[in-house]
Amino acid sequence: MDKYCNTLELYKILGMLSEKASNVRTKELISGIAPETDIDIVRREMKKTAEAFDLSVKNGTPPFYNFSDVRKTLDKASSGASLSLRELLDIAKLLRQIRELDEWFATSFAGDDDNTQKENSPLYYLFSALTPNKRLEKRIVESVISEDEIADTASPELGEIRRKIVRAGLRIRESLDKMIRSSEVQKSLQENIVTIRDGRYVLPVRAEYKSNVQGIVHASSASGSTLFIEPAAVVEANNDIRILKDREQEEIDRIIAELSSECGSCAEAIARDFETCAEINLYFAKSELAISMNACEPHISDDGFVSLIRARHPLIDSGRVVPVDIELGGAYDTLIVTGPNTGGKTVLLKTVGLLTAMVMCGLMIPASDGSRVSVFKNILVDIGDMQSIENDLSTFSSHMGNVADIVGKADTHSLVLLDELGSGTDPVEGAALAVAIINAMRERGSRIMVTTHYQELKLYAISTDGVENGSCEFDMATLRPTYRLIIGSPGQSNAFSISAKLGLPANIIDNAKALVSDENKRFDEVIGRLESSRLEYEKLNEETRRLNEEQERIKTQLESDKKALEDRKEAELDNARTQAMRIVEDCRLRSDELLDELAEIRKQKNRANFESAAISAKSRSRSVLDSMYKTANPVVKKDNDGYKLPRALRNGDNVLIFDINKRGVVFGAPDRNGEVYVQAGNIRMKTNINNLRLVDTKDSGNTQRKTAGKVTAKGVRGKMERRPQFELDIRGKAVDEGILEVDAFIDNAVMTNAGLVTIIHGKGTGLLRNGIQRHLREHPSVKSFRSGVYGEGENGVTIVELK
């Protein structure tokens, strides 16, 4: 398919891919890429590219270096030869690449405890084949500074030799510096400096004073006026340095030979890793190309069906290219594309062919998710002007020669793309040839896409099953193409409109219109009406789509608001629970303080100021209790709409607590501030009478008259209303324990102005009842007490009337 892929400019895509590669070997692999016809191979290659894409998006692209092809260097090392420092550095760079790729892949799956995801990765086989050699890499890096220098730390022996050379050089310089400072020698020198010639320390002596400095002449200046003399006093020391230099070189040669030997022993593994790194770089280069194109992984099949969604030609600037939807091979196997020149027909052909070829090369394509591409055995293309002066071929001849070759190769696994089929000759004959060629290839099962201006081919598509019209849309208002592909509608060439826009005189255009046959005029009118209907339909469809989107947006907003309300409700409930807990803790703390204060006052009952202390404590307790009731009822007050109570409230009245819209029963009489206790279900609260409304105006106060002391005909005291909130249950307690609880209970009842309280002690043996009643006879706050009557608990309870 090389010839046809070149026509589609696949080589340009591969050139863009090559620019993403980091090394020469990967570029060589890219240059050998060609469309693959085996669907299994195509799918595998696409999965590797998609995996590289996903890993790059999640973890960033792995580090890639421009490592050299070291295979020949490794062969050299394997043969026992010593490598150059440059060659050792190249191997170290490759070893670094191997190590960092291995570490990057491990980090990418750091959270994969059982290695399932890692081992299922399509690139696992490549990364798992890497064999990092950290020891050899470290040895080379620490030994070789550059291609010209070995590090002192390459070996202890080398470091020691170099230190000796430095010390010997310093001693020589000291000796020569002393000579320079000598007035006799100084006047003989050209410059008061120490220099080196042939690796030996010398002095620059004027030629005429040669006899004043005894030594060996090593060189002279170009003019001969200066001689570089090694003084006799440092000859021996220079000889020692020369010996050390020789030893240094021997040690360097030994180190290089040792490193070369290590490289040679690992040559096979390093060479394998070289190829692996280049292949890994190939897939990540494909990934980077996909990212730059905003590409996707299409569904791959071999059923001849192509469906490209919002496809873009990858060689056209992304700011100018118009995405198109193209389908071929499903409901129809042949698509006839018509429309004006410069309307994008040829680009459509190239887009379909090039994107199909890219997929067959394992490349992701610039289209939207959901796109589908089939693998073909052949992609056969005839696009462009094939006129050849050398071969004396006209445009028609060259096209027909190419088409004849395509017809000979076309089969059920072929994608055929023909631009302006049958053009360049008589229109009637050209159209007839085009229809015949299409029929021949359809009989072989090919998938065909053809561009044309012929009316005959438009009619052929309308009247033939499996053949569909497609048109490149043209905006008649602006006389510009929109580059959209409209499936199911033949396009108009709009030659007259375009010619008028380009300045052709109106009389010429009118004459041309008069020359068009009536049949063609009617056909164009039908197409025009179809186009108008299509545009109207699209307008209505767009409005429907907009309304659906608006409905969906409103639905989403309502769901969001509902969720927000639910979240707010939960937050308010949490806040209410927290506030309730805070209120309970505060009430408990204040209650404990009141009980402690009562206990302290009880200890002082025999003192003179006991009465005033008790009254003061009682007042404080009421104040604290009022505060506690208000705290426990943090309700935002609502306006009572000017409601006035029809009469004064009495104990037992049924009322509506307006601000919380709950019914309750008045408990006691209002105080001087208009505050009164109300029992609402299990909750007792204190509120102002202005917040209450009478529900039942009957005289309900008489239902709770005290009957203590009033004896019935049978000599039994009348029944009293039991109030659960003024009951104490001490059943099962010991007598002493029960008395302590009774004392605390009575103290609390006194503070709340309770008139009657009930102590539940049970019948049992009667010990607890007798002990409690003996204690009550002496209690200072108890006015009277009695056992319960029928309906109150009889001997199992004691009814206490407080002072």
Side-chain angles (χ1 to χ4, degrees):
M1 288 189 283
D2 286 350
K3 177 178 72 171
Y4 303 114
C5 287
N6 282 337
T7 302
L8 295 171
E9 299 178 297
L10 178 63
Y11 65 91
K12 291 185 179 180
I13 300 298
L14 296 180
M16 294 167 63
L17 177 62
S18 184
E19 292 176 0
K20 305 292 184 182
S22 67
N23 62 90
V24 174
R25 178 54 184 157
T26 301
K27 293 179 187 293
E28 290 175 356
L29 294 176
I30 291 171
S31 67
I33 291 178
E36 181 59 59
T37 58
D38 187 322
I39 187 173
D40 293 329
I41 295 176
V42 173
R43 284 175 171 167
R44 282 200 301 270
E45 290 299 297
M46 183 61 74
K47 285 299 178 187
K48 295 175 192 175
T49 302
E51 176 72 356
F53 182 93
D54 291 341
L55 290 174
S56 295
V57 171
K58 293 176 184 176
N59 309 298
T61 305
F64 285 108
Y65 304 108
N66 184 14
F67 52 84
S68 302
D69 187 344
V70 297
R71 288 174 294 183
K72 291 183 178 179
T73 300
L74 292 170
D75 290 341
K76 178 180 173 183
S78 298
S79 67
S82 289
L83 305 178
S84 68
L85 297 184
R86 177 70 268 163
E87 290 170 329
L88 288 171
L89 288 173
D90 288 340
I91 292 175
K93 191 172 187 178
L94 175 60
L95 291 173
R96 178 187 178 189
Q97 176 72 89
I98 296 166
R99 174 178 54 81
E100 292 194 3
L101 285 177
D102 180 70
E103 292 172 351
W104 180 88
F105 191 69
T107 303
S108 298
F109 293 92
D112 184 16
D113 296 333
D114 58 358
N115 289 331
T116 302
Q117 289 182 340
K118 178 196 273 189
E119 293 173 3
N120 288 336
S121 169
L123 295 176
Y124 175 72
Y125 81 99
L126 286 173
F127 282 97
S128 62
L130 295 173
T131 54
N133 192 333
K134 297 180 182 179
R135 192 191 66 80
L136 179 57
E137 178 195 352
K138 182 179 179 182
R139 181 81 195 281
I140 296 174
V141 170
E142 291 181 349
S143 299
V144 183
I145 296 176
S146 69
E147 55 186 281
D148 301 314
E149 184 178 3
I150 287 282
D152 294 349
T153 55
S155 74
E157 178 67 19
L158 180 61
E160 181 60 27
I161 291 171
R162 286 182 172 175
R163 285 191 290 273
K164 288 180 180 180
I165 290 173
V166 171
R167 287 196 293 268
L170 290 174
R171 288 195 298 270
I172 292 174
R173 281 187 173 277
E174 288 176 2
S175 298
L176 294 177
D177 286 343
K178 288 180 182 178
M179 294 179 66
I180 290 172
R181 289 193 294 271
S182 168
S183 57
E184 183 177 348
V185 173
Q186 197 174 72
K187 66 182 181 181
S188 305
L189 299 179
Q190 191 73 35
E191 293 181 84
N192 294 335
I193 61 171
V194 176
T195 186
I196 295 176
R197 286 292 184 274
D198 298 329
R200 304 178 76 87
Y201 289 90
V202 296
L203 295 175
V205 181
R206 295 177 182 176
E208 61 269 24
Y209 293 105
K210 173 184 175 183
S211 58
N212 290 352
V213 179
Q214 298 297 317
I216 303 171
V217 178
H218 284 278
S220 63
S221 64
S223 63
S225 61
T226 303
L227 301 177
F228 296 98
I229 299 175
E230 178 186 5
V234 297
V235 169
E236 191 62 33
N238 268 327
N239 289 338
D240 291 340
I241 289 177
R242 177 57 63 87
I243 293 171
L244 289 171
K245 287 283 187 182
D246 291 341
R247 287 179 56 195
E248 176 190 27
Q249 189 57 49
E250 289 174 1
E251 180 62 15
I252 289 173
D253 292 341
R254 186 194 68 78
I255 292 169
I256 292 175
E258 186 178 285
L259 291 174
S260 301
S261 176
E262 287 191 44
C263 291
S265 64
C266 305
E268 187 175 343
I270 296 174
R272 283 198 309 269
D273 287 347
F274 166 78
E275 289 289 351
T276 303
C277 288
E279 191 172 352
I280 291 173
N281 185 218
L282 169 64
Y283 293 112
F284 281 93
K286 290 181 176 181
S287 163
E288 285 194 42
L289 181 64
I291 291 172
S292 68
M293 291 181 176
N294 193 22
C296 78
E297 176 191 4
H299 175 76
I300 299 173
S301 66
D302 59 356
D303 56 4
F305 181 57
V306 176
S307 176
L308 300 175
I309 303 172
R310 294 188 61 77
R312 305 172 301 280
H313 195 289
L315 298 177
I316 300 177
D317 179 51
S318 59
R320 294 191 303 111
V321 66
V322 178
V324 292
D325 295 339
I326 309 171
E327 190 171 300
L328 182 65
Y332 47 89
D333 56 52
T334 302
L335 182 63
I336 308 295
V337 181
T338 53
N341 290 321
T342 72
K345 299 189 301 297
T346 303
V347 172
L348 281 173
L349 289 184
K350 287 190 172 182
T351 300
V352 173
L354 182 56
L355 268 54
T356 301
M358 287 175 63
V359 169
M360 293 168 65
C361 290
L363 296 171
M364 297 167 71
I365 57 174
S368 295
D369 290 335
S371 294
R372 177 182 177 130
V373 175
S374 177
V375 174
F376 292 96
K377 180 181 177 182
N378 294 303
I379 301 177
L380 306 172
V381 183
D382 178 58
I383 296 175
D385 188 354
M386 302 294 183
Q387 183 173 3
S388 171
I389 296 175
E390 287 182 8
N391 297 324
D392 194 25
L393 292 175
S394 67
T395 299
F396 177 76
S397 299
S398 60
H399 271 301
M400 279 300 115
N402 200 28
V403 168
D405 183 52
I406 289 172
V407 170
K409 295 177 180 177
D411 58 16
T412 189
H413 300 294
S414 297
L415 173 64
V416 181
L417 306 171
L418 303 174
D419 189 26
E420 301 292 352
L421 179 60
S423 63
T425 187
D426 178 76
V428 175
E429 293 180 355
L433 271 173
V435 171
I437 290 168
I438 292 171
N439 282 333
M441 291 188 293
R442 289 192 67 218
E443 289 174 0
R444 300 181 186 181
S446 301
R447 301 297 185 267
I448 308 163
M449 190 169 174
V450 175
T451 68
T452 186
H453 287 282
Y454 291 150
Q455 301 281 30
E456 290 83 356
L457 286 179
K458 298 176 188 178
L459 291 169
Y460 168 73
I462 292 173
S463 60
T464 307
D465 290 337
V467 182
E468 187 60 86
N469 270 306
S471 62
C472 289
E473 190 179 54
F474 190 80
D475 190 340
M476 291 300 298
T478 62
L479 294 180
R480 290 180 180 275
T482 65
Y483 301 104
R484 288 181 57 209
L485 177 63
I486 309 300
I487 301 294
S489 173
Q492 295 174 290
S493 296
N494 299 110
F496 296 148
S497 300
I498 294 173
S499 299
K501 182 187 175 186
L502 295 174
L504 195 65
N507 61 321
I508 295 178
I509 294 174
D510 291 338
N511 288 335
K513 289 180 178 179
L515 294 174
V516 176
S517 68
D518 291 340
E519 183 179 342
N520 283 339
K521 284 180 182 179
R522 286 194 298 272
F523 185 73
D524 274 346
E525 288 173 0
V526 170
I527 292 177
R529 287 195 295 271
L530 284 174
E531 182 68 9
S532 298
S533 299
R534 183 190 64 79
L535 292 174
E536 183 64 23
Y537 168 77
E538 283 197 353
K539 184 178 180 181
L540 292 173
N541 192 47
E542 177 65 22
E543 180 64 15
T544 302
R545 184 192 62 79
R546 186 190 65 78
L547 291 174
N548 288 337
E549 288 179 354
E550 180 67 15
Q551 180 182 1
E552 191 65 28
R553 186 190 65 79
I554 293 173
K555 179 182 176 183
T556 303
Q557 183 63 41
L558 289 174
E559 290 177 352
S560 176
D561 291 346
K562 180 182 177 182
K563 185 178 183 304
L565 285 173
E566 291 292 333
D567 294 343
R568 184 178 174 185
K569 174 184 173 184
E570 286 299 320
E572 290 293 337
L573 286 173
D574 288 343
N575 184 51
R577 294 187 192 103
T578 303
Q579 189 174 358
M581 290 300 297
R582 192 183 305 115
I583 291 171
V584 169
E585 289 298 319
D586 187 53
C587 290
R588 185 177 63 79
L589 177 63
R590 295 191 182 193
S591 175
D592 289 344
E593 290 175 352
L594 287 174
L595 291 174
D596 291 343
E597 187 174 357
L598 284 173
E600 184 63 28
I601 292 173
R602 187 180 299 148
K603 293 177 184 177
Q604 301 174 6
K605 63 183 178 179
N606 296 323
R607 296 187 182 180
N609 62 345
F610 173 73
E611 187 70 24
S612 62
I615 293 171
S616 176
K618 188 172 183 180
S619 176
R620 286 196 303 275
S621 70
R622 287 178 178 175
S623 176
V624 169
L625 286 170
D626 287 346
S627 174
M628 291 164 65
Y629 275 111
K630 289 178 180 178
T631 302
N633 183 32
V635 178
V636 177
K637 301 295 182 183
K638 294 193 295 185
D639 188 5
N640 204 1
D641 296 335
Y643 175 81
K644 299 294 183 182
L645 290 168
R647 62 171 173 80
L649 291 175
R650 294 192 294 269
N651 189 30
D653 279 341
N654 293 316
V655 292
L656 175 68
I657 308 169
F658 182 73
D659 58 1
I660 62 173
N661 196 30
K662 284 187 176 294
R663 289 175 177 252
V665 178
V666 173
F667 192 87
D671 59 19
R672 63 171 177 263
N673 296 322
E675 301 289 326
V676 65
Y677 289 103
V678 179
Q679 186 78 26
N682 294 326
I683 301 174
R684 186 184 183 195
M685 65 182 66
K686 192 172 187 181
T687 186
N688 195 278
I689 60 175
N690 293 329
N691 189 36
L692 301 176
R693 292 184 179 186
L694 272 172
V695 175
D696 184 5
T697 58
K698 292 180 181 180
D699 186 6
S700 57
N702 295 328
T703 61
Q704 289 185 317
R705 291 188 299 270
K706 294 182 181 179
T707 58
K710 182 176 179 179
V711 182
T712 64
K714 294 182 180 180
V716 182
R717 296 179 184 270
K719 291 185 181 180
M720 296 176 60
E721 181 185 359
R722 292 266 303 273
R723 300 188 181 100
Q725 66 274 21
F726 290 115
E727 288 182 352
L728 173 65
D729 189 348
I730 57 172
R731 284 176 290 185
K733 304 284 185 181
V735 175
D736 292 343
E737 185 180 7
I739 289 172
L740 287 175
E741 290 196 18
V742 166
D743 283 344
F745 173 65
I746 290 175
D747 289 342
N748 188 44
V750 169
M751 289 293 186
T752 56
N753 293 322
L756 289 174
V757 295
T758 302
I759 300 173
I760 304 172
H761 41 64
K763 296 179 180 179
T765 61
L767 290 176
L768 181 59
R769 179 185 70 242
N770 295 335
I772 293 300
Q773 291 184 352
R774 280 197 304 272
H775 179 70
L776 291 175
R777 291 191 186 97
E778 300 175 358
H779 200 290
S781 300
V782 177
K783 182 177 181 181
S784 64
F785 65 88
R786 64 176 174 80
S787 294
V789 295
Y790 179 75
E792 289 181 324
E794 301 179 350
N795 290 334
V797 301
T798 297
I799 308 300
V800 181
E801 183 180 2
L802 301 176
K803 294 178 180 178

